[in-house]
Amino acid sequence: MQQRVLWSAVMVAALVLAGCGSAARPASPSGGPQQEQRKLVVWDWKSGEAATATYVEKVKADFAGRHPGVTVEFVAQPFDQYYTLLGTAAQSRKGPDVMLFNGGGQIRDRVDSLLPLEQHVAQDRSRLAGWDAFTKDGKIYAAPVTLQGHPIYYNKTLYEKAGLDPANPPRTWDEFVRACSAVKKATGAACLALGNKEGFGIQFFMSGLGSGILTPQEYDDWIAGKRDWSSPHVRRIFELWKEAGDKGLNSDGANSTAMFTDVFRVFESGKAAHIIGLMSDVGHWKDFGEFLPPDKLGVMRAPVVTGGATPSLPYDGGIGYAVARWTKDPELAADLVHSLTSADALAAFSSAAGAISSDTTIDVSRAGPAVAAIVPEIRTGRPALHVALSAKTLDLMGRLSQQLLSGSATVDKAVEQLAAADRAG
Amino acid sequence: MVRPAGSGRADGAGTKQGGGGGPATRTASRGARAERLAPYVLVAPAVLILVTLRLWPLVLGVNYSFTGDGADNGTPVGLGNYLELAGDPLFRTALRNVGLLVLLLPVAVAIPGLLATFIYLRVPGHRVYRGVYFFPAVLSPVIVGAIVNLMLGFDGPVNAALGTVGVGPVDWLGDPGIAMFTVTGVHVWATFGMALVVFLAGFSTLDASLLDAARVDGASLGQVVRHVIIPGLTRTIQFVFVTTLIGMLTSMFGLLFVMTSGGPEGSTYLPEYYIWHQQGQLNRPALASAASTVLFVVMLVVGLAQITLLRRAGRQD
């Protein structure tokens, strides 16, 4: 018995001292003998959907035009498990040559396994928008396909019923709250459809309303990484979040309503007048159009909360294609990325799948009034506030936001913890 | 683990050969060597599989848990990950929830036990109940979770029904004080069918004449359960305890994933979910390795405690 204890102790000590190897495979320089590659594998979570069939077709045609004899295989992975699968592929250094990424933290945390693309995408730089979300330390790792952002949508039918002018949505927070109480009185609908089960509600709230709360200088500093958590305006974001909950502006049961996709149904069914939604993929103009006629769906700018703030559309690169470091022929893979973001393909993607494309030169005049209201805002839009935060800080913010709503945490405590998490990186 | 048994037998064979003495031919000694090696050869496949597929990854995982993540990938950080775990309120909640599950275990065993008793005692309609009770056990946790999510939504049918009798809506999955009990309750509901079947099998070994004798002596239902059924089913109850606990600790991931995603406020985290979250979502494989090691130790302690309890109970029989 004693011997066994001794052995375990020695074993543990050895392992502690050794601590060798690594949980993730260390990056090694790529290169080596270049073989001719006949097949490129693309991983994504989109190509399985019927709506992207035309897009995939156009991409393949465009690529085959320049590289006949090279086949492109699209492998659709389930989104729930996508990054777990990608992590496993990266560890074994075998996997797709080109892969789809969400912008922001998801790609920045994984640049170790990606190839910098600056030289390869130079020709597309001015045509496409949203590069920042795929850039880390000045290097570009993916080319954007869609733009993702957080416009505030409102239900014009509810506005009409409440005697408000649907063409003239509120411009300040006070007007916004007044409009909400008018809607509540006339129709019983809540002000904001809020789903915070996964902790995403606060991210949408922060980014959707942030440009009306922070001054332009504070906003730029925040994006640039100089985040002043002690600023009263940053604090105001969380106060407003708590206030909205306390005053009953949110739809019922926010902490148990899933953002994807229960809360979108709350808005569509007219149970709430506003929603901070998305521009691409889900929860957007096309999605809502299923129940709300296009002419009854409005898009408004963030209401001004603090004087001096200039509301703008918060958006970033949504999804984009990156090239794996382990691909055998980086030139070929990068050229496929070029095909994946060609104007023709993107036009097909945005109209069928319902997305604001990264290529702002595409004609959107037939996509309806909501899109017509969003696209002109892209020029003056700025990156969304929450995208600048690390995955870990966002995770913490999700839990704290639930505590703020349930009253088990104070704004001071939440801001303090977030500041600490943000500083830790 | 293998050595004592194998070497013991080989030694025994050796002494017998030596004791025979006399003209020890070459074939005999070769036979002795073959006999000595045979056990090792025979257990080798099993040992190899265990070592390469179980022990080696385990050692690697433990080893990784002492290295860093991200920029520190591959560099030793000593106990850094474990200190981070100890300081992470989320991981502490996960461990606390394991404790909660252990505390709720008697309830999870009592429910199928009682229902099986009623079926055994042939309450009216017992045949129907037997089928109905088992039915949820064939559903996957994902389906159960999705159905229950709809039922327990804040504006869902359960709250609507409660509203008609004047009870305010309950935020089943949104209130951190309630959510863990909701998920555990659903897990018990979804899995007690298996335990029920085991109990029914146990009942079939029960001596019916004892029950009749108790009835003739005028024992009430409570007395029959307490003095005849429970003592007769000790072994079955122990078995159900062990399997139910293992089920609770290892197979609630699906339900958690679908029903709460660890929320609200991180109140429904279990170590398994924490490990998945750190590895898959936050890209912290080394920290996840450390959490896995802690979970392994917890399971080891729980398993050893159960074996000890079972042995002690077995001796009493």
Side-chain angles (χ1 to χ4, degrees):
Chain A
M1 184 66 196
Q2 214 169 16
Q3 205 181 2
R4 207 190 296 169
V5 172
L6 193 69
W7 264 110
S8 334
V10 169
M11 181 89 169
V12 168
L15 282 167
V16 173
L17 289 175
C20 52
S22 57
R25 191 169 284 247
S28 65
S30 68
Q34 300 232 329
Q35 299 159 334
E36 200 186 352
Q37 192 156 14
R38 308 310 314 167
K39 184 171 147 188
L40 287 171
V41 177
V42 181
W43 272 21
D44 60 39
W45 59 89
K46 286 271 174 202
S47 60
E49 296 163 21
T52 57
T54 348
Y55 169 72
V56 170
E57 239 169 66
K58 289 205 186 231
V59 169
K60 282 185 172 169
D62 184 71
F63 189 70
R66 272 171 287 136
H67 303 277
V70 180
T71 47
V72 177
E73 187 191 348
F74 282 82
V75 181
Q77 305 282 9
F79 183 63
D80 281 352
Q81 297 298 321
Y82 186 74
Y83 289 106
T84 312
L85 293 169
L86 212 55
T88 317
Q91 295 228 352
S92 64
R93 307 195 68 73
K94 266 181 235 145
D97 303 284
V98 173
M99 51 222 172
L100 191 61
F101 267 102
N102 290 99
Q106 295 290 20
I107 188 164
R108 291 201 186 108
D109 286 351
R110 293 172 175 82
V111 292
D112 288 351
S113 29
L114 302 178
L115 208 65
L117 293 178
E118 296 85 67
Q119 296 134 13
H120 303 286
V121 295
Q123 51 183 339
D124 299 325
R125 283 298 289 277
S126 58
R127 182 172 58 91
L128 305 179
W131 293 96
D132 286 351
F134 303 102
T135 306
K136 188 182 183 183
D137 303 330
K139 286 185 178 153
I140 295 171
Y141 289 96
V145 171
T146 65
L147 300 179
Q148 187 57 286
H150 301 279
I152 304 172
Y153 297 98
Y154 64 98
N155 185 331
K156 289 187 179 175
T157 314
L158 292 180
Y159 266 55
E160 280 160 10
K161 279 188 191 154
L164 302 164
D165 178 8
N168 202 4
R171 290 174 180 280
T172 67
W173 182 253
D174 290 337
E175 284 174 30
F176 182 75
V177 173
R178 267 201 301 279
C180 281
S181 52
V183 169
K184 180 96 183 171
K185 215 169 157 193
T187 66
C191 175
L192 264 176
L194 181 67
N196 201 37
K197 181 175 178 173
E198 314 96 325
F200 295 154
I202 183 73
Q203 300 178 11
F204 283 41
F205 188 89
M206 170 184 251
S207 290
L209 299 176
S211 64
I213 302 174
L214 301 187
T215 62
Q217 185 58 44
E218 281 174 322
Y219 202 105
D220 292 341
D221 286 349
W222 177 284
I223 300 300
K226 290 175 278 179
R227 290 182 278 280
D228 179 11
W229 289 90
S230 61
S231 145
H233 294 152
V234 171
R235 200 191 131 86
R236 187 84 183 100
I237 297 174
F238 296 95
E239 281 172 353
L240 216 57
W241 166 264
K242 188 168 165 53
E243 212 176 289
D246 293 347
K247 280 188 180 165
L249 297 187
N250 299 330
S251 49
D252 288 336
N255 274 351
S256 56
T257 308
M259 174 69 79
F260 300 103
T261 57
D262 295 355
V263 79
F264 300 137
R265 305 291 97 83
V266 171
F267 177 71
E268 279 169 11
S269 56
K271 286 183 193 155
H274 307 85
I275 188 168
I276 302 170
L278 293 167
M279 279 164 35
S280 298
D281 305 321
V282 289
H284 56 15
W285 42 277
K286 190 171 169 112
D287 222 10
F288 298 146
E290 220 177 306
F291 292 95
L292 288 176
D295 58 319
K296 296 295 177 198
L297 179 68
V299 178
M300 63 188 264
R301 286 187 172 182
V304 175
V305 179
T306 32
T310 50
S312 60
L313 176 72
Y315 82 92
D316 292 271
I319 54 175
Y321 283 100
V323 174
R325 205 175 264 275
W326 54 80
T327 187
K328 285 186 200 124
D329 187 347
E331 283 292 333
L332 193 66
D335 206 39
L336 176 59
V337 170
H338 179 64
S339 292
L340 285 160
T341 53
S342 68
D344 227 19
L346 288 181
F349 188 91
S350 67
S351 65
I356 301 289
S357 147
S358 60
D359 190 337
T360 49
T361 59
I362 293 172
D363 177 29
V364 289
S365 54
R366 277 181 302 159
V371 177
I374 292 171
V375 171
E377 297 283 322
I378 288 172
R379 205 174 41 79
T380 55
R382 284 178 290 179
L385 292 177
H386 79 268
V387 178
L389 300 174
S390 70
K392 194 176 170 175
T393 311
L394 290 176
D395 192 53
L396 177 68
M397 187 162 81
R399 283 196 304 281
L400 287 173
S401 70
Q402 292 170 339
Q403 291 178 343
L404 284 173
L405 285 186
S406 74
S408 59
T410 61
V411 173
D412 284 320
K413 212 178 125 198
V415 172
E416 192 182 306
Q417 286 191 43
L418 286 170
D422 190 35
R423 268 193 298 275
Chain B
M1 164 171 81
V2 176
R3 189 166 41 85
S7 60
R9 203 178 303 159
D11 286 352
T15 31
K16 212 182 272 172
Q17 291 285 336
T25 58
R26 190 166 291 182
T27 42
S29 81
R30 197 185 294 154
R33 196 190 299 155
E35 202 175 327
R36 207 160 55 228
L37 288 177
Y40 296 104
V41 174
L42 289 175
V43 298
V47 170
L48 273 179
I49 288 173
L50 274 179
V51 168
T52 53
L53 297 182
R54 295 265 167 173
L55 293 179
W56 180 236
L58 185 71
V59 171
L60 276 185
V62 174
N63 183 21
Y64 290 158
S65 72
F66 296 111
T67 66
D69 277 311
D72 291 337
N73 185 23
T75 48
V77 294
L79 291 171
N81 287 325
Y82 291 92
L83 293 178
E84 189 178 343
L85 282 182
D88 188 348
L90 208 53
F91 189 68
R92 289 206 299 267
T93 309
L95 287 183
R96 208 166 28 234
N97 282 337
V98 169
L100 180 72
L101 289 183
V102 173
L103 288 181
L104 289 175
L105 188 60
V107 182
V109 173
I111 291 172
L114 270 181
L115 293 174
T117 309
F118 290 139
I119 291 175
Y120 178 69
L121 295 176
R122 305 224 157 74
V123 293
H126 64 274
R127 276 172 214 282
V128 179
Y129 289 128
R130 197 168 49 189
V132 169
Y133 289 153
F134 188 71
F135 183 64
V138 302
L139 294 176
S140 99
V142 176
I143 295 169
V144 171
I147 295 171
V148 174
N149 266 355
L150 290 176
M151 304 270 298
L152 296 182
F154 195 83
D155 51 358
V158 172
N159 276 339
L162 285 178
T164 56
V165 295
V167 182
V170 179
D171 205 354
W172 298 102
L173 297 171
D175 186 327
I178 298 174
M180 192 64 206
F181 290 97
T182 311
V183 178
T184 315
V186 173
H187 176 76
V188 170
W189 173 81
T191 55
F192 82 87
M194 269 313 166
L196 187 91
V197 171
V198 175
F199 269 120
L200 287 177
F203 273 116
S204 67
T205 64
L206 210 59
D207 190 351
S209 60
L210 281 177
L211 281 178
D212 291 338
R215 279 206 194 104
V216 169
D217 288 345
S220 67
L221 176 67
Q223 284 169 324
V224 170
V225 169
R226 191 155 160 241
H227 296 291
V228 182
I229 294 181
I230 291 184
L233 287 181
T234 324
R235 282 304 185 85
T236 313
I237 294 172
Q238 281 167 6
F239 178 76
V240 172
F241 254 96
V242 174
T243 48
T244 309
L245 184 60
I246 292 174
M248 276 182 155
L249 290 184
T250 59
S251 51
M252 276 181 69
F253 181 87
L255 268 188
L256 283 182
F257 186 82
V258 176
M259 286 178 68
T260 65
S261 317
E265 304 175 26
S267 63
T268 57
Y269 264 80
L270 280 178
E272 266 186 306
Y273 191 84
Y274 182 88
I275 292 163
W276 174 82
H277 189 68
Q278 293 294 341
Q279 149 72 17
Q281 309 302 111
L282 300 182
N283 209 13
R284 299 285 311 270
L287 187 67
S289 301
S292 310
T293 310
V294 174
L295 178 61
F296 173 71
V297 171
V298 169
M299 297 291 280
L300 204 65
V301 168
V302 170
L304 287 179
Q306 281 179 342
I307 290 173
T308 318
L309 281 177
L310 285 182
R311 263 202 205 132
R312 196 172 295 161
R315 242 177 258 140
Q316 281 169 0
D317 281 355

